[in-house]
PDB file of all heavy atoms in Angstrom:
ATOM      1  N   ASP I 276      11.025 -25.025 -49.586  1.00 98.00           N
ATOM      2  CA  ASP I 276      12.291 -25.599 -49.109  1.00 98.00           C
ATOM      3  C   ASP I 276      12.323 -25.719 -47.591  1.00 98.00           C
ATOM      4  O   ASP I 276      13.188 -26.386 -47.039  1.00 98.00           O
ATOM      5  CB  ASP I 276      13.481 -24.707 -49.515  1.00 98.00           C
ATOM      6  CG  ASP I 276      13.603 -24.541 -51.008  1.00 98.00           C
ATOM      7  OD1 ASP I 276      13.329 -25.511 -51.732  1.00 98.00           O
ATOM      8  OD2 ASP I 276      13.978 -23.429 -51.460  1.00 98.00           O
ATOM      9  N   VAL I 277      11.403 -25.011 -46.922  1.00 98.00           N
ATOM     10  CA  VAL I 277      11.454 -24.890 -45.455  1.00 98.00           C
ATOM     11  C   VAL I 277      10.643 -26.018 -44.826  1.00 98.00           C
ATOM     12  O   VAL I 277       9.443 -26.135 -45.066  1.00 98.00           O
ATOM     13  CB  VAL I 277      10.907 -23.515 -45.012  1.00 98.00           C
ATOM     14  CG1 VAL I 277      10.891 -23.411 -43.485  1.00 98.00           C
ATOM     15  CG2 VAL I 277      11.733 -22.384 -45.634  1.00 98.00           C
ATOM     16  N   GLY I 278      11.319 -26.834 -44.020  1.00 98.00           N
ATOM     17  CA  GLY I 278      10.642 -27.990 -43.437  1.00 98.00           C
ATOM     18  C   GLY I 278      10.588 -27.979 -41.929  1.00 98.00           C
ATOM     19  O   GLY I 278      10.291 -29.004 -41.305  1.00 98.00           O
ATOM     20  N   LEU I 279      10.848 -26.823 -41.317  1.00 98.00           N
ATOM     21  CA  LEU I 279      10.850 -26.733 -39.850  1.00 98.00           C
ATOM     22  C   LEU I 279      10.802 -25.258 -39.475  1.00 98.00           C
ATOM     23  O   LEU I 279      11.565 -24.460 -40.021  1.00 98.00           O
ATOM     24  CB  LEU I 279      12.146 -27.367 -39.312  1.00 98.00           C
ATOM     25  CG  LEU I 279      12.451 -27.212 -37.829  1.00 98.00           C
ATOM     26  CD1 LEU I 279      11.433 -27.961 -36.984  1.00 98.00           C
ATOM     27  CD2 LEU I 279      13.871 -27.713 -37.527  1.00 98.00           C
ATOM     28  N   VAL I 280       9.906 -24.914 -38.548  1.00 98.00           N
ATOM     29  CA  VAL I 280       9.762 -23.510 -38.140  1.00 98.00           C
ATOM     30  C   VAL I 280       9.613 -23.420 -36.621  1.00 98.00           C
ATOM     31  O   VAL I 280       8.878 -24.211 -36.019  1.00 98.00           O
ATOM     32  CB  VAL I 280       8.521 -22.858 -38.815  1.00 98.00           C
ATOM     33  CG1 VAL I 280       8.254 -21.469 -38.232  1.00 98.00           C
ATOM     34  CG2 VAL I 280       8.704 -22.755 -40.322  1.00 98.00           C
ATOM     35  N   GLU I 281      10.339 -22.467 -36.029  1.00 98.00           N
ATOM     36  CA  GLU I 281      10.090 -22.075 -34.637  1.00 98.00           C
ATOM     37  C   GLU I 281       9.536 -20.657 -34.684  1.00 98.00           C
ATOM     38  O   GLU I 281      10.147 -19.767 -35.295  1.00 98.00           O
ATOM     39  CB  GLU I 281      11.394 -22.092 -33.826  1.00 98.00           C
ATOM     40  CG  GLU I 281      11.910 -23.468 -33.494  1.00 98.00           C
ATOM     41  CD  GLU I 281      11.213 -24.102 -32.295  1.00 98.00           C
ATOM     42  OE1 GLU I 281      11.103 -23.452 -31.241  1.00 98.00           O
ATOM     43  OE2 GLU I 281      10.774 -25.271 -32.422  1.00 98.00           O
ATOM     44  N   LEU I 282       8.384 -20.429 -34.054  1.00 98.00           N
ATOM     45  CA  LEU I 282       7.802 -19.084 -34.088  1.00 98.00           C
ATOM     46  C   LEU I 282       7.307 -18.680 -32.708  1.00 98.00           C
ATOM     47  O   LEU I 282       7.528 -19.379 -31.719  1.00 98.00           O
ATOM     48  CB  LEU I 282       6.707 -19.003 -35.167  1.00 98.00           C
ATOM     49  CG  LEU I 282       5.641 -20.089 -35.208  1.00 98.00           C
ATOM     50  CD1 LEU I 282       4.719 -20.000 -34.022  1.00 98.00           C
ATOM     51  CD2 LEU I 282       4.863 -20.003 -36.502  1.00 98.00           C
ATOM     52  N   HIS I 283       6.631 -17.515 -32.649  1.00 98.00           N
ATOM     53  CA  HIS I 283       6.404 -16.822 -31.376  1.00 98.00           C
ATOM     54  C   HIS I 283       4.963 -17.040 -30.895  1.00 98.00           C
ATOM     55  O   HIS I 283       4.123 -16.153 -30.993  1.00 98.00           O
ATOM     56  CB  HIS I 283       6.708 -15.335 -31.581  1.00 98.00           C
ATOM     57  CG  HIS I 283       6.868 -14.579 -30.306  1.00 98.00           C
ATOM     58  ND1 HIS I 283       8.056 -14.506 -29.619  1.00 98.00           N
ATOM     59  CD2 HIS I 283       5.983 -13.855 -29.569  1.00 98.00           C
ATOM     60  CE1 HIS I 283       7.901 -13.770 -28.536  1.00 98.00           C
ATOM     61  NE2 HIS I 283       6.647 -13.351 -28.479  1.00 98.00           N
ATOM     62  N   ASP I 284       4.692 -18.244 -30.348  1.00 98.00           N
ATOM     63  CA  ASP I 284       3.342 -18.577 -29.893  1.00 98.00           C
ATOM     64  C   ASP I 284       3.123 -18.125 -28.449  1.00 98.00           C
ATOM     65  O   ASP I 284       2.830 -18.930 -27.579  1.00 98.00           O
ATOM     66  CB  ASP I 284       3.098 -20.086 -30.022  1.00 98.00           C
ATOM     67  CG  ASP I 284       4.149 -20.912 -29.270  1.00 98.00           C
ATOM     68  OD1 ASP I 284       5.329 -20.526 -29.287  1.00 98.00           O
ATOM     69  OD2 ASP I 284       3.783 -21.921 -28.650  1.00 98.00           O
ATOM     70  N   MET I 285       3.250 -16.822 -28.229  1.00 98.00           N
ATOM     71  CA  MET I 285       2.936 -16.277 -26.894  1.00 98.00           C
ATOM     72  C   MET I 285       1.525 -16.694 -26.502  1.00 98.00           C
ATOM     73  O   MET I 285       1.226 -16.932 -25.338  1.00 98.00           O
ATOM     74  CB  MET I 285       3.099 -14.759 -26.934  1.00 98.00           C
ATOM     75  CG  MET I 285       2.738 -14.039 -25.658  1.00 98.00           C
ATOM     76  SD  MET I 285       0.992 -13.601 -25.614  1.00 98.00           S
ATOM     77  CE  MET I 285       0.953 -12.152 -26.645  1.00 98.00           C
ATOM     78  N   ALA I 286       0.618 -16.762 -27.493  1.00 98.00           N
ATOM     79  CA  ALA I 286      -0.706 -17.363 -27.326  1.00 98.00           C
ATOM     80  C   ALA I 286      -0.950 -18.273 -28.531  1.00 98.00           C
ATOM     81  O   ALA I 286      -0.386 -18.040 -29.607  1.00 98.00           O
ATOM     82  CB  ALA I 286      -1.786 -16.291 -27.245  1.00 98.00           C
ATOM     83  N   THR I 287      -1.807 -19.281 -28.339  1.00 98.00           N
ATOM     84  CA  THR I 287      -2.040 -20.274 -29.393  1.00 98.00           C
ATOM     85  C   THR I 287      -2.473 -19.629 -30.714  1.00 98.00           C
ATOM     86  O   THR I 287      -2.026 -20.042 -31.788  1.00 98.00           O
ATOM     87  CB  THR I 287      -3.135 -21.259 -28.958  1.00 98.00           C
ATOM     88  OG1 THR I 287      -4.270 -20.493 -28.518  1.00 98.00           O
ATOM     89  CG2 THR I 287      -2.650 -22.152 -27.828  1.00 98.00           C
ATOM     90  N   ILE I 288      -3.338 -18.617 -30.637  1.00 98.00           N
ATOM     91  CA  ILE I 288      -3.840 -17.978 -31.865  1.00 98.00           C
ATOM     92  C   ILE I 288      -2.683 -17.401 -32.673  1.00 98.00           C
ATOM     93  O   ILE I 288      -2.738 -17.358 -33.902  1.00 98.00           O
ATOM     94  CB  ILE I 288      -4.893 -16.876 -31.536  1.00 98.00           C
ATOM     95  CG1 ILE I 288      -5.471 -16.258 -32.812  1.00 98.00           C
ATOM     96  CG2 ILE I 288      -4.318 -15.767 -30.662  1.00 98.00           C
ATOM     97  CD1 ILE I 288      -6.280 -17.190 -33.672  1.00 98.00           C
ATOM     98  N   LEU I 289      -1.617 -16.975 -31.979  1.00 98.00           N
ATOM     99  CA  LEU I 289      -0.492 -16.372 -32.704  1.00 98.00           C
ATOM    100  C   LEU I 289       0.231 -17.398 -33.561  1.00 98.00           C
ATOM    101  O   LEU I 289       0.745 -17.063 -34.635  1.00 98.00           O
ATOM    102  CB  LEU I 289       0.465 -15.686 -31.732  1.00 98.00           C
ATOM    103  CG  LEU I 289      -0.031 -14.306 -31.281  1.00 98.00           C
ATOM    104  CD1 LEU I 289       0.741 -13.827 -30.051  1.00 98.00           C
ATOM    105  CD2 LEU I 289       0.095 -13.281 -32.399  1.00 98.00           C
ATOM    106  N   GLU I 290       0.299 -18.664 -33.129  1.00 98.00           N
ATOM    107  CA  GLU I 290       0.933 -19.676 -33.991  1.00 98.00           C
ATOM    108  C   GLU I 290       0.182 -19.752 -35.328  1.00 98.00           C
ATOM    109  O   GLU I 290       0.791 -19.814 -36.399  1.00 98.00           O
ATOM    110  CB  GLU I 290       0.960 -21.053 -33.317  1.00 98.00           C
ATOM    111  CG  GLU I 290       1.547 -22.129 -34.233  1.00 98.00           C
ATOM    112  CD  GLU I 290       1.987 -23.395 -33.513  1.00 98.00           C
ATOM    113  OE1 GLU I 290       2.613 -23.303 -32.447  1.00 98.00           O
ATOM    114  OE2 GLU I 290       1.699 -24.488 -34.052  1.00 98.00           O
ATOM    115  N   ILE I 291      -1.145 -19.722 -35.251  1.00 98.00           N
ATOM    116  CA  ILE I 291      -1.971 -19.822 -36.459  1.00 98.00           C
ATOM    117  C   ILE I 291      -1.801 -18.584 -37.342  1.00 98.00           C
ATOM    118  O   ILE I 291      -1.532 -18.681 -38.550  1.00 98.00           O
ATOM    119  CB  ILE I 291      -3.447 -20.006 -36.046  1.00 98.00           C
ATOM    120  CG1 ILE I 291      -3.623 -21.375 -35.356  1.00 98.00           C
ATOM    121  CG2 ILE I 291      -4.380 -19.846 -37.239  1.00 98.00           C
ATOM    122  CD1 ILE I 291      -4.962 -21.562 -34.661  1.00 98.00           C
TER     123      ILE I 291
END
Side-chain angles (χ1 to χ4, degrees):
Chain I
D276 300 324
V277 177
L279 172 66
V280 172
E281 287 279 310
L282 49 69
H283 195 85
D284 56 322
M285 177 271 281
T287 51
I288 183 65
L289 281 165
E290 177 163 317
I291 293 169

